[in-house]
mmCIF file of all heavy atoms in Angstrom:
data_model
loop_
_atom_site.group_PDB
_atom_site.id
_atom_site.type_symbol
_atom_site.label_atom_id
_atom_site.label_comp_id
_atom_site.label_asym_id
_atom_site.label_seq_id
_atom_site.Cartn_x
_atom_site.Cartn_y
_atom_site.Cartn_z
ATOM 1 N N LEU O 1463 302.786 128.709 279.196
ATOM 2 C CA LEU O 1463 303.779 128.590 280.269
ATOM 3 C C LEU O 1463 305.184 128.440 279.690
ATOM 4 O O LEU O 1463 306.140 129.065 280.165
ATOM 5 C CB LEU O 1463 303.451 127.385 281.153
ATOM 6 C CG LEU O 1463 302.221 127.494 282.054
ATOM 7 C CD1 LEU O 1463 301.936 126.155 282.726
ATOM 8 C CD2 LEU O 1463 302.408 128.584 283.098
ATOM 9 N N LEU O 1464 305.306 127.609 278.672
ATOM 10 C CA LEU O 1464 306.610 127.404 278.038
ATOM 11 C C LEU O 1464 307.058 128.640 277.277
ATOM 12 O O LEU O 1464 308.246 128.984 277.266
ATOM 13 C CB LEU O 1464 306.559 126.189 277.108
ATOM 14 C CG LEU O 1464 306.308 124.837 277.783
ATOM 15 C CD1 LEU O 1464 306.185 123.743 276.732
ATOM 16 C CD2 LEU O 1464 307.422 124.511 278.765
ATOM 17 N N GLU O 1465 306.091 129.325 276.651
ATOM 18 C CA GLU O 1465 306.427 130.539 275.912
ATOM 19 C C GLU O 1465 306.931 131.626 276.857
ATOM 20 O O GLU O 1465 307.869 132.359 276.527
ATOM 21 C CB GLU O 1465 305.205 131.031 275.141
ATOM 22 C CG GLU O 1465 305.495 132.217 274.220
ATOM 23 C CD GLU O 1465 304.275 132.656 273.432
ATOM 24 O OE1 GLU O 1465 303.143 132.456 273.918
ATOM 25 O OE2 GLU O 1465 304.456 133.207 272.325
ATOM 26 N N ALA O 1466 306.340 131.725 278.040
ATOM 27 C CA ALA O 1466 306.759 132.726 279.020
ATOM 28 C C ALA O 1466 308.188 132.488 279.484
ATOM 29 O O ALA O 1466 308.887 133.423 279.891
ATOM 30 C CB ALA O 1466 305.810 132.729 280.215
ATOM 31 N N GLN O 1467 308.645 131.234 279.412
ATOM 32 C CA GLN O 1467 310.011 130.900 279.803
ATOM 33 C C GLN O 1467 310.987 130.961 278.630
ATOM 34 O O GLN O 1467 312.168 130.671 278.798
ATOM 35 C CB GLN O 1467 310.048 129.492 280.419
ATOM 36 C CG GLN O 1467 309.221 129.335 281.680
ATOM 37 C CD GLN O 1467 309.686 130.231 282.796
ATOM 38 O OE1 GLN O 1467 310.884 130.456 282.971
ATOM 39 N NE2 GLN O 1467 308.756 130.756 283.582
ATOM 40 N N GLY O 1468 310.483 131.316 277.458
ATOM 41 C CA GLY O 1468 311.333 131.403 276.283
ATOM 42 C C GLY O 1468 311.691 130.056 275.688
ATOM 43 O O GLY O 1468 312.547 129.975 274.803
ATOM 44 N N LEU O 1469 311.039 128.994 276.162
ATOM 45 C CA LEU O 1469 311.380 127.654 275.693
ATOM 46 C C LEU O 1469 310.691 127.290 274.391
ATOM 47 O O LEU O 1469 311.114 126.351 273.701
ATOM 48 C CB LEU O 1469 311.040 126.626 276.780
ATOM 49 C CG LEU O 1469 311.821 126.821 278.091
ATOM 50 C CD1 LEU O 1469 311.367 125.807 279.127
ATOM 51 C CD2 LEU O 1469 313.323 126.705 277.843
ATOM 52 N N ILE O 1470 309.620 127.999 274.059
ATOM 53 C CA ILE O 1470 309.011 127.878 272.737
ATOM 54 C C ILE O 1470 308.589 129.270 272.282
ATOM 55 O O ILE O 1470 308.490 130.200 273.094
ATOM 56 C CB ILE O 1470 307.776 126.942 272.723
ATOM 57 C CG1 ILE O 1470 306.618 127.566 273.518
ATOM 58 C CG2 ILE O 1470 308.124 125.542 273.205
ATOM 59 C CD1 ILE O 1470 305.296 126.842 273.318
ATOM 60 N N THR O 1471 308.355 129.405 271.003
ATOM 61 C CA THR O 1471 307.729 130.610 270.463
ATOM 62 C C THR O 1471 306.516 130.164 269.656
ATOM 63 O O THR O 1471 306.489 129.048 269.113
ATOM 64 C CB THR O 1471 308.684 131.401 269.556
ATOM 65 O OG1 THR O 1471 309.134 130.547 268.482
ATOM 66 C CG2 THR O 1471 309.896 131.905 270.333
ATOM 67 N N ILE O 1472 305.512 131.013 269.611
ATOM 68 C CA ILE O 1472 304.295 130.692 268.878
ATOM 69 C C ILE O 1472 304.250 131.552 267.624
ATOM 70 O O ILE O 1472 304.148 132.777 267.702
ATOM 71 C CB ILE O 1472 303.028 130.939 269.720
ATOM 72 C CG1 ILE O 1472 303.116 130.211 271.065
ATOM 73 C CG2 ILE O 1472 301.796 130.508 268.941
ATOM 74 C CD1 ILE O 1472 303.128 128.713 270.961
ATOM 75 N N ARG O 1473 304.360 130.919 266.470
ATOM 76 C CA ARG O 1473 304.238 131.639 265.206
ATOM 77 C C ARG O 1473 302.764 131.794 264.863
ATOM 78 O O ARG O 1473 302.011 130.819 264.889
ATOM 79 C CB ARG O 1473 304.962 130.878 264.089
ATOM 80 C CG ARG O 1473 306.477 130.878 264.233
ATOM 81 C CD ARG O 1473 307.127 130.062 263.137
ATOM 82 N NE ARG O 1473 308.578 130.060 263.244
ATOM 83 C CZ ARG O 1473 309.381 129.238 262.571
ATOM 84 N NH1 ARG O 1473 308.852 128.353 261.720
ATOM 85 N NH2 ARG O 1473 310.680 129.298 262.728
ATOM 86 N N ARG O 1474 302.372 133.022 264.578
ATOM 87 C CA ARG O 1474 300.972 133.301 264.291
ATOM 88 C C ARG O 1474 300.685 133.180 262.790
ATOM 89 O O ARG O 1474 301.578 133.285 261.961
ATOM 90 C CB ARG O 1474 300.615 134.716 264.768
ATOM 91 C CG ARG O 1474 301.080 135.041 266.190
ATOM 92 C CD ARG O 1474 300.453 134.145 267.231
ATOM 93 N NE ARG O 1474 300.984 134.408 268.563
ATOM 94 C CZ ARG O 1474 300.676 133.702 269.644
ATOM 95 N NH1 ARG O 1474 299.832 132.689 269.546
ATOM 96 N NH2 ARG O 1474 301.204 134.006 270.816
ATOM 97 N N GLY O 1475 299.429 133.012 262.459
ATOM 98 C CA GLY O 1475 299.020 133.016 261.071
ATOM 99 C C GLY O 1475 299.124 131.652 260.407
ATOM 100 O O GLY O 1475 299.523 130.661 261.028
ATOM 101 N N PRO O 1476 298.797 131.595 259.105
ATOM 102 C CA PRO O 1476 298.853 130.339 258.352
ATOM 103 C C PRO O 1476 300.257 129.729 258.389
ATOM 104 O O PRO O 1476 301.255 130.429 258.210
ATOM 105 C CB PRO O 1476 298.480 130.766 256.927
ATOM 106 C CG PRO O 1476 297.717 132.044 257.107
ATOM 107 C CD PRO O 1476 298.330 132.725 258.288
ATOM 108 N N GLY O 1477 300.306 128.437 258.633
ATOM 109 C CA GLY O 1477 301.589 127.754 258.683
ATOM 110 C C GLY O 1477 302.337 127.975 259.972
ATOM 111 O O GLY O 1477 303.481 127.546 260.120
ATOM 112 N N GLY O 1478 301.698 128.671 260.925
ATOM 113 C CA GLY O 1478 302.344 128.943 262.202
ATOM 114 C C GLY O 1478 302.216 127.779 263.163
ATOM 115 O O GLY O 1478 301.916 126.647 262.779
ATOM 116 N N GLY O 1479 302.412 128.075 264.434
ATOM 117 C CA GLY O 1479 302.342 127.037 265.455
ATOM 118 C C GLY O 1479 303.528 127.133 266.395
ATOM 119 O O GLY O 1479 304.388 128.012 266.256
ATOM 120 N N PRO O 1480 303.621 126.228 267.365
ATOM 121 C CA PRO O 1480 304.702 126.270 268.345
ATOM 122 C C PRO O 1480 306.036 125.806 267.767
ATOM 123 O O PRO O 1480 306.101 124.819 267.045
ATOM 124 C CB PRO O 1480 304.223 125.326 269.449
ATOM 125 C CG PRO O 1480 303.287 124.382 268.757
ATOM 126 C CD PRO O 1480 302.640 125.154 267.659
#
Side-chain angles (χ1 to χ4, degrees):
L1463 289 173
L1464 296 176
E1465 186 178 28
Q1467 298 299 323
L1469 298 177
I1470 68 168
T1471 58
I1472 307 294
R1473 291 178 179 167
R1474 312 298 176 185

